[in-house]
Amino acid sequence: MILTVTLNTALDLTYRVERLVPHSSHRVTTVTERPGGKGLNVARVLTALGHDVTVTGFVGGATGEALRAGLSGVRDALFPVLGSTRRTVAVVDSSSGDTTQLNEPGPLITPSEWSAFLVSYEHLLTSASAVALCGSLPPGVPVGAYAHLVRGARAAGVPVLLDTSGEPLRRGIAARPDIVKPNADELAELTGSWEPLPATRAARRRGAHAVVASLGPNGLLAATPDGTWQATPAARVSGNPTGAGDSAVAALLAGLVSGNTWPKRLASAVALSAATVLAPVAGEFDAKAYAEFEAGVTVVEHADAA
């Protein structure tokens, strides 16, 4: 099974309005509520792709109960805590397709809850084929948490993908994860460079086995032991970009456990990400568009750095 870890789970609320106008009242046309957080979105996509997935992370309070009640198709190994699971609110402007996101910080995790979670995590690793560590850290969790979890996966012989930002990313990448997937802003913050190609290679020198940088509508750039490739979609798509990066993570994990080549993994990740933009909420994708987009992705190999 594939294990996804979402330390800061969330109950995602998506509001759709005809037009978002600051400083005014709005009539919401539709409301969607579902389990969220990056790793849960990844799990939902992996399940739709036919993979056996287990989810873990912290969950608590009435919001946490609602989150667990909404889980479907995945094995629930979420870890209960005293604090309350956060909510995130996405407001979608139907006229433009733009999305405004509001994210709560999450529950305070105590040292004893963190220690107990580590025991549960190590047990889950014994039956995992791969693990994804995704998203922000809730208050109380050590900033080096992901580095600890990466080392645990490596000790268990389980390939590990890290998708986070800031200092948790900086520390986590030094623990040598198999794949790191930053977006352009996270990559620049990590390396100090806004030039994608040298920044991606610089990030890999910090410890990751492979770095796959998300360039938004310009696709993905990957620096790997087998070479450096850029995968670009055939055309830009408009819609709700929330969760597009999580779908890319799902595709990269699926390709990893299936033993696909890097160009095939990247083509799938770009196509699945674009197909997610067409879906109304995170964790879903347009299956027909996914197949069409994958055929149109261009993958170009870059020459090795001098």
Side-chain angles (χ1 to χ4, degrees):
M1 63 88 175
I2 297 176
L3 176 65
T4 72
V5 179
T6 312
L7 295 179
N8 208 6
T9 59
L11 187 65
D12 284 350
L13 303 174
T14 301
Y15 296 153
R16 186 172 291 273
V17 299
E18 291 294 335
R19 180 180 176 84
L20 184 61
V21 180
H23 315 298
S24 66
S25 297
H26 298 78
R27 185 176 297 279
V28 177
T29 57
T30 61
V31 180
T32 304
E33 178 181 287
R34 62 168 48 206
K38 294 180 72 65
L40 292 183
N41 291 336
V42 171
R44 191 177 297 117
V45 173
L46 282 169
T47 300
L49 293 174
H51 292 272
D52 177 23
V53 186
T54 296
V55 297
T56 192
F58 297 113
V59 67
T63 308
E65 291 178 5
L67 183 153
R68 299 186 91 160
L71 291 175
S72 177
V74 300
R75 298 181 186 180
D76 179 358
L78 293 168
F79 192 87
V81 295
L82 290 177
S84 183
T85 297
R86 67 185 177 132
R87 296 163 297 179
T88 68
V89 179
V91 183
V92 181
D93 184 326
S94 296
S95 65
S96 66
D98 292 338
T99 301
T100 300
Q101 191 83 16
L102 304 174
N103 298 326
E104 295 180 359
L108 176 65
I109 306 301
T110 67
S112 60
E113 288 171 337
W114 173 241
S115 296
F117 171 80
L118 291 177
V119 175
S120 174
Y121 172 73
E122 290 175 2
H123 173 72
L124 290 169
L125 286 174
T126 61
S127 55
S129 57
V131 58
L133 309 174
C134 304
S136 62
L137 301 179
V141 172
V143 70
Y146 281 134
H148 190 113
L149 298 182
V150 168
R151 287 192 292 269
R154 288 181 57 82
V158 179
V160 55
L161 183 152
L162 176 62
D163 182 13
T164 188
S165 60
E167 189 62 21
L169 171 60
R170 190 180 304 277
R171 297 195 186 195
I173 198 172
R176 305 187 65 80
D178 293 87
I179 304 173
V180 170
K181 198 212 72 64
N183 61 31
D185 290 341
E186 293 160 355
L187 184 65
E189 181 182 7
L190 177 67
T191 65
S193 172
W194 282 97
E195 294 293 329
L197 184 55
T200 301
R201 285 170 168 159
R204 183 167 178 257
R205 288 194 293 272
R206 290 175 177 265
H209 191 65
V211 176
V212 182
S214 175
L215 306 180
N218 294 320
L220 297 173
L221 179 63
T224 81
D226 302 322
T228 301
W229 290 274
Q230 183 161 358
T232 308
R236 296 192 178 193
V237 295
S238 61
N240 181 6
T242 306
D246 303 331
S247 289
V249 169
L252 292 172
L253 279 173
L256 173 65
V257 299
S258 298
N260 293 338
T261 64
W262 272 105
K264 184 171 178 57
R265 295 184 205 181
L266 296 173
S268 178
V270 167
L272 193 58
S273 180
T276 299
V277 174
L278 297 180
V281 292
E284 294 183 358
F285 61 92
D286 185 317
K288 181 179 179 180
Y290 171 40
E292 294 175 352
F293 290 162
E294 189 169 20
V297 174
T298 300
V299 182
V300 176
E301 185 171 10
H302 291 275
D304 290 338

